[in-house]
Amino acid sequence: MARDLETALLRTFVTAVRTGSISRAATALGHTQPALSQQLRKLERAVGRPLLYRSTSGVSPTRAGEELLPYAERILSLSAQALTETGRALTGHCGVGLLEDLAASQLPQALADLARVHPGATLEVLTFSNAAMREAYDAGRVQLVLDEVPYVPGPPRWTVRRPLVWAIGQGVDVAADPLPVVLFSNPCFWRTSVLETLERADRRWRVAFESNSLVGVLAAVRAGLGVAALMPANLEPVMACHDADALPTLPDVELGLTRHPRTEGDPLIDAVETALRRMI
């Protein structure tokens, strides 16, 4: 008999990974924690492999979980689009400015799927510096911006908090004193938060490498230069830290979405904003 992946189970799994906690996922979905745990076990039985590492501090995806995550997110996105977009023909252009860390996640795929549903529409995903993003927003090239709250080019329509996780370079001793840290170059709001977290934990640190791009930070971690703070979607399985007590808990990142005021009532911009909300 053919096996199917139930969307409800996939939603439970994705929410648990995004929030980093079964209890937080249960609250977000309006379930009890035992019920949500039962759904996760059911999905693991269907897949045939463990999907989550569980500890007292939360959950993180296993290798199988990392492999399933992009498929689960896309299935949920397509399911939502099929229910809301079928029968509508959207046209026009929508520019979306994304934080680079989000541009490397499944968000562009969700937007590409939306564009496929509406072949008369053109969607453009852009990653700029803060100043360049403001310029593109003011010029009307970008209608929606999803970034860290301090850097969005206008009052956010909505905000959401997302966790950061430690990425560990191969062969890096997390007990080293000082701890080698790979950082995003200034200006970066969570760079400051990460260093303040280490200071509060009385952990000495040194900057082993820094870059103004996610590509550069990931390359440094792959090369074993140190540890870095990443969004879970950008964490490669070999970089995961499975000892919850090895490093201090990182702060959440607050993301915000800004929409250009001249786009109110535009059905294409409405649809793109809805897709971003669903994915985030």
Side-chain angles (χ1 to χ4, degrees):
M1 189 172 82
R3 295 182 300 168
D4 292 321
L5 293 175
E6 300 177 32
T7 55
L9 301 182
L10 294 176
R11 185 172 292 105
T12 295
F13 166 67
V14 169
T15 305
V17 173
R18 286 177 179 169
T19 60
S21 163
I22 290 178
S23 61
R24 286 197 293 268
T27 300
L29 295 172
H31 297 322
T32 65
Q33 188 169 334
L36 189 134
S37 296
Q38 185 176 10
Q39 287 186 320
L40 289 171
R41 287 194 293 271
K42 182 177 179 181
L43 179 61
E44 288 178 323
R45 287 196 298 271
V47 174
R49 298 165 69 187
L51 298 173
L52 295 172
Y53 292 112
R54 295 164 172 84
S55 70
T56 55
S57 62
V59 296
S60 61
T62 63
R63 179 63 180 268
E66 291 281 358
E67 293 170 353
L68 176 63
L69 185 60
Y71 293 105
E73 290 179 325
R74 191 174 183 194
I75 290 169
L76 293 174
S77 176
L78 288 172
S79 175
Q81 289 176 24
L83 291 173
T84 59
E85 305 298 338
T86 302
R88 293 202 301 167
L90 300 179
T91 60
H93 173 274
C94 178
V96 182
L98 290 180
L99 175 70
E100 184 191 11
D101 300 69
L102 297 173
S105 70
Q106 291 302 304
L107 284 178
Q109 181 64 67
L111 297 178
D113 289 335
L114 181 63
R116 184 177 181 86
V117 174
H118 302 288
T122 301
L123 301 185
E124 184 179 16
V125 175
L126 300 165
T127 58
F128 287 139
S129 66
N130 297 328
M133 190 68 76
R134 162 65 74 175
E135 184 177 336
Y137 179 80
D138 291 341
R141 182 182 179 186
V142 171
Q143 290 76 44
L144 295 164
V145 177
L146 183 59
D147 203 340
E148 294 175 80
V149 167
Y151 302 127
V152 292
R157 290 168 66 90
W158 51 270
T159 63
V160 64
R161 303 190 72 85
R162 284 291 169 257
L164 291 175
V165 295
W166 287 109
I168 313 298
Q170 187 173 7
V172 173
D173 179 8
V174 294
D177 184 19
L179 179 71
V181 182
V182 177
L183 296 171
F184 287 93
S185 304
N186 275 320
C188 176
F189 187 73
W190 81 53
R191 171 193 174 110
T192 303
S193 297
V194 168
L195 296 182
E196 288 177 347
T197 296
L198 292 172
E199 295 284 356
R200 285 194 297 270
D202 293 324
R203 289 296 306 269
R204 294 203 314 143
W205 52 270
R206 64 177 179 86
V207 178
F209 188 91
E210 54 187 311
S211 174
N212 66 348
S213 74
L214 176 64
V215 171
V217 168
L218 286 172
V221 176
R222 291 190 197 107
L225 296 185
V227 304
L230 299 176
M231 288 186 169
N234 298 322
L235 182 70
E236 297 174 3
V238 294
M239 300 175 180
C241 178
H242 303 308
D243 182 356
D245 299 321
L247 293 168
T249 302
L250 288 164
D252 290 343
V253 174
E254 187 175 25
L255 304 174
L257 182 133
T258 292
R259 176 170 172 168
H260 203 289
R262 291 199 297 267
T263 66
E264 291 298 335
D266 185 312
L268 175 60
I269 312 301
D270 290 343
V272 175
E273 181 180 353
T274 299
L276 291 173
R277 283 177 179 261
R278 286 175 180 148
M279 287 298 293
I280 292 293

